[in-house]
Amino acid sequence: MSRGRQSGVAVVEFALMGPVLFLLLFGVFDLGKLTQDYTTVAEAARQGARQGAANADPTDSPFGARNASPCPGTQFATSATGQGCLTDAGILETVRRTLSSGAMDPAATLQSNTNAKTCIANATQVALAPNHAWVCISPSEATGTGTDASCSAAKLRLGRDPVAGDLGDRKDEWSAARYRGCFYVQVTVIYAYKPMTALLQGVIGNRIRLVSSSSTLAEY
Amino acid sequence: MLKPRGRRQQQGQTIVLFALAAVVLFGVAAIAVDTGLAMADRRGLQAVVDSASLAGAREYYTLGAAATASNAHYVAMLYLAKALKGSVPQSCTFLSCGNALTLTGGYTFTFVDGPGTLDITATHTLTALFAPAGKLGSNGITVGTGARAKAPAAVTGTAAGYAVFVSGGDFQLSGGGSNAPSGDVSGNIYAAGNIGNGQGQQGHDEGGNGHSLRIPTQPTDANGNVCQPASTTHLDTTNSSISGSITWVRNGNGPASGTTNVRISPAKTDPYAGVAAPVPAVNTTYTSSWQALVANVWQPGTYDGFFPDRSHLMAPGVYVVKNVEGGDEGSTMQVGGNAVPGTVGTADKAGAVTIVLDSSDQADLDLSNTTLNGLDDDGIGVRDALGTHNFAIYAPTYSGAVNVDNSNITGIVDLNKADLGSEGNSSFHFYGSVVFKSVSISGGGNGTQAFSYVCSLQAVLAPSSGSYGLQR
């Protein structure tokens, strides 16, 4: 009698445990993808920030094809709209390319003159769509004016090493020889991770943010 | 019969589920781990390639026009090999080195050169943890990266071409004598007035070595080596007036007689007038001596109302001195010397010092018993590490008196409005190129005075603009 009733036990057990099992399964599946994506986001932020030192054209990136005509360097600096290489648009493009190389959606929006803290605070569920990235760059290239006589004068006034934005906008910082090698460019990448499985999408929604920030001392 | 069979049918279900799940789980984990490994590896490789390309390209700056692609490749390879625990092949030397490097561990590098530029492309095949397991048919993941670095362009210079340039008077060197191998003046001379030893006027020729003005027939350095390319020494005056006797010391393949080398020249102005004043790298203004001393050594900067006196030595760099009063207070600017001992007559790359004076300085300049070296380049004017522009003294508007008794001064001295006077019993030795309004050394005869030229000496103008450093 008891043996006859056991014939449905496996089905019942599976019915009970199945959802849990699948949740675990998909959870681990997404965790793997999440890890991979985070690595890519971190790399994208780093490559974006490195452009401050390399001052390179996005099409001339170290991991891509070699471009025969390098960035002309400081000669672009007079333009407030940022023609040249170390521009917000240039950094954005480098981040996009890195995301793309990591098999991620390269859709990214530029958030100029935004530091990491503000960038994270602003990237709400509503503001940042799933599978979409924000690239926050601080300082921006287009506003404000620095008034210090030199980098060392700025250090004296501030009582510390200047950080991004202390000396006016980034365009001013790079176009004025007196500020060269004086400040950092901070690049933050925030990516809204969308779970691959519908089950987790329903549970988690648009809540996961992959965040990485990197700074480089700009060189000209 | 039925019962055992029903059992058997159900026994494999969990296994199958687990097997399916495991494949997916491990597959995803493998991709994530391998991607992470590859990214981390590329990041490390990027750092190595960045530093190697910068180091290699730097040869184009250090060696200037003499640098070859092999120089840059070899230095870059040393960096790569050091960082990746490999070794540069024996076939590759500083003078001859190819365009490719392979290091154990799956590293390959190729080098591409541009003007002053070194571009390195790198690939690394690393052993992956999961991907290679026969599934993808490869034995690893290959990551690629690269970097291009450009050296700063050489700075341009301006050369007077004269060992002595007298802008507004005579050049008279009477009596005295020189122990310099090639004569009292070892290079070309320009004087707005007379050039000579003045014996006729002074009639003073004491001691065994009283002599006529000795000049080599070809310009030389302080050691008597003929400056290359060799040329004939010339004396330029506005009126071809040579007083007293001049002994031409024949050297190299120079002409035996120098009479044809006296040339009539139009009046010239200070040849270094176009060179901007040297500026301290960190231009701190000091108003009292305690501010300017660190560990009992004067620090470069702007000295307002006082000067780095000889109670202490001077750290390498540029010293702008202004508003030093003279006159009744009887003060003279008796300056310290280089804190880093360099060799007199050669570039002092580690410790060069420049003193910058202007018309606001009224006190006399006392350089007696001072060794001063402002040359921070080999005299060819392409590098300016300490910002001295190769000047020992930059004072084209200063018009005070100058005392150089028993001094050794290396570099360019621009005292375009000052007179050099000495009574001949004291000694001094200039190495380089001097500009004075007039020079008159008379009488005595027990001193040793020499103006040695530094071959191909140039004042540094400015680095050419354009970007350098990492470019990709």
Side-chain angles (χ1 to χ4, degrees):
Chain A
M1 187 179 77
S2 60
R3 280 182 179 176
R5 285 183 182 173
Q6 281 180 353
S7 63
V9 167
V11 175
V12 174
E13 281 175 351
F14 184 76
L16 285 171
M17 293 307 294
V20 179
L21 192 69
F22 277 110
L23 196 63
L24 272 173
L25 180 65
F26 293 143
V28 172
F29 191 81
D30 261 309
L31 197 66
K33 181 72 167 66
L34 194 77
T35 309
Q36 186 189 349
D37 282 3
Y38 179 71
T39 311
T40 308
V41 165
E43 180 70 5
R46 212 191 67 84
Q47 287 290 354
R50 183 183 179 273
Q51 213 167 308
N55 195 15
D57 191 283
T59 62
D60 194 24
S61 73
F63 47 90
R66 233 174 51 81
N67 188 335
S69 54
C71 182
T74 52
Q75 290 162 18
F76 61 83
T78 51
S79 167
T81 55
Q83 303 163 358
C85 305
L86 183 51
T87 60
D88 287 356
I91 291 173
L92 177 68
E93 181 59 25
T94 297
V95 170
R96 275 191 182 137
R97 282 164 184 262
T98 315
L99 290 177
S100 187
S101 76
M104 289 173 70
D105 192 340
T109 312
L110 184 68
Q111 311 285 314
S112 275
N113 209 19
T114 310
N115 62 23
K117 198 178 168 184
T118 314
C119 193
I120 292 166
N122 290 347
T124 60
Q125 289 186 58
V126 178
L128 182 52
N131 277 357
H132 195 92
W134 272 9
V135 181
C136 298
I137 302 172
S138 174
S140 177
E141 65 185 29
T143 56
T145 307
T147 53
D148 294 292
S150 67
C151 186
S152 52
K155 284 179 184 176
L156 274 177
R157 175 175 65 82
L158 296 163
R160 56 175 166 78
D161 284 346
V163 297
D166 275 349
L167 312 180
D169 63 58
R170 204 174 80 241
K171 185 223 108 198
D172 196 58
E173 285 169 330
W174 84 50
S175 63
R178 63 185 192 274
Y179 289 152
R180 276 177 198 167
C182 199
F183 69 102
Y184 285 85
V185 172
Q186 185 192 50
V187 176
T188 308
V189 178
I190 299 188
Y191 187 80
Y193 181 78
K194 185 185 179 187
M196 298 177 79
T197 48
L199 185 61
L200 286 175
Q201 277 175 33
V203 175
I204 296 169
N206 181 22
R207 284 193 176 82
I208 299 180
R209 296 285 179 274
L210 304 178
V211 185
S212 185
S213 189
S214 188
S215 295
T216 309
L217 191 68
E219 292 174 9
Y220 305 103
Chain B
M1 289 294 285
L2 282 172
K3 288 158 195 169
R5 200 180 77 190
R7 267 185 169 180
R8 279 191 208 113
Q9 280 174 337
Q10 291 181 0
Q11 270 175 349
Q13 285 184 356
T14 311
I15 293 284
V16 170
L17 270 175
F18 180 76
L20 281 173
V23 166
V24 175
L25 292 183
F26 279 111
V28 171
I31 292 170
V33 169
D34 282 347
T35 308
L37 274 177
M39 288 278 188
D41 190 80
R42 192 174 80 179
R43 197 152 53 236
L45 188 61
Q46 178 83 68
V48 172
V49 174
D50 279 357
S51 69
S53 65
L54 283 166
R58 194 175 183 282
E59 291 305 305
Y60 290 112
Y61 176 67
T62 317
L63 300 179
T68 65
S70 285
N71 301 152
H73 293 181
Y74 180 70
V75 171
M77 285 181 189
L78 286 182
Y79 270 72
L80 293 169
K82 177 84 176 169
L84 301 171
K85 297 181 173 56
S87 59
V88 178
Q90 299 262 324
S91 60
C92 189
T93 67
F94 186 70
L95 297 177
S96 170
C97 205
N99 298 326
L101 173 70
T102 304
L103 292 176
T104 52
Y107 295 97
T108 58
F109 302 92
T110 52
F111 300 81
V112 180
D113 305 282
T117 306
L118 178 62
D119 197 325
I120 304 178
T121 301
T123 63
H124 178 212
T125 302
L126 67 155
T127 310
L129 279 183
F130 297 100
K135 196 168 65 174
L136 300 179
S138 71
N139 59 355
I141 310 171
T142 297
V143 296
T145 189
R148 182 195 298 119
K150 187 176 185 190
V155 292
T156 49
T158 188
Y162 294 100
V164 179
F165 186 97
V166 180
S167 60
D170 297 341
F171 176 73
Q172 295 291 343
L173 203 157
S174 309
S178 170
N179 290 330
S182 52
D184 304 295
V185 181
S186 80
N188 302 322
I189 302 173
Y190 166 84
N194 295 335
I195 295 175
N197 69 347
Q199 280 179 327
Q201 291 89 357
Q202 303 294 333
H204 202 106
D205 191 7
E206 291 181 4
N209 63 346
H211 60 269
S212 57
L213 180 57
R214 292 182 298 185
I215 299 172
T217 52
Q218 292 184 330
T220 71
D221 65 13
N223 296 321
N225 301 315
V226 175
C227 293
Q228 300 298 329
S231 59
T232 303
T233 310
H234 50 86
L235 311 184
D236 294 346
T237 75
T238 54
N239 56 7
S240 185
S241 173
I242 304 297
S243 61
S245 61
I246 291 175
T247 300
W248 292 90
V249 182
R250 189 177 186 212
N251 60 358
N253 297 317
S257 167
T259 50
T260 56
N261 299 329
V262 179
R263 311 190 303 198
I264 297 175
S265 164
K268 293 172 182 275
T269 54
D270 180 359
Y272 300 111
V275 180
V279 177
V282 178
N283 199 352
T284 310
T285 298
Y286 308 110
T287 53
S288 61
S289 56
W290 62 268
Q291 296 172 321
L293 279 171
V294 173
N296 283 326
V297 175
W298 296 114
Q299 299 300 307
T302 297
Y303 287 61
D304 192 349
F306 71 113
F307 58 94
D309 68 39
R310 68 179 318 157
S311 60
H312 301 286
L313 295 172
M314 299 156 80
V318 178
Y319 294 76
V320 177
V321 178
K322 60 183 186 181
N323 301 322
V324 177
E325 294 177 2
D328 297 340
E329 293 167 27
S331 68
T332 57
M333 293 186 284
Q334 196 169 28
V335 299
N338 300 53
V340 181
T343 306
V344 169
T346 59
D348 184 6
K349 293 175 184 173
V353 158
T354 298
I355 297 171
V356 179
L357 305 175
D358 61 24
S359 56
S360 71
D361 295 303
Q362 302 295 323
D364 295 343
L365 178 62
D366 186 355
L367 298 168
S368 59
N369 302 303
T370 302
T371 298
L372 200 62
N373 189 344
L375 211 58
D376 74 349
D377 191 1
D378 287 323
I380 52 176
V382 296
R383 291 171 292 274
D384 194 27
L386 294 165
T388 68
H389 297 3
N390 280 342
F391 283 92
I393 299 168
Y394 178 94
T397 60
Y398 170 77
S399 56
V402 181
N403 180 358
V404 294
D405 291 350
N406 302 312
S407 63
N408 280 302
I409 297 174
T410 306
I412 300 169
V413 173
D414 190 348
L415 285 159
N416 191 47
K417 291 192 172 175
D419 300 315
L420 175 62
S422 172
E423 44 77 36
N425 275 325
S426 64
S427 302
F428 62 78
H429 201 147
F430 285 104
Y431 302 84
S433 174
V434 301
V435 177
F436 277 99
K437 185 181 175 190
S438 73
V439 175
S440 174
I441 295 134
S442 59
N446 300 319
T448 299
Q449 301 101 23
F451 297 86
S452 295
Y453 191 51
V454 169
C455 297
S456 68
L457 177 62
Q458 294 181 5
V460 175
L461 278 179
S464 59
S465 60
S467 71
Y468 56 90
L470 281 178
Q471 285 194 323
R472 85 169 175 124

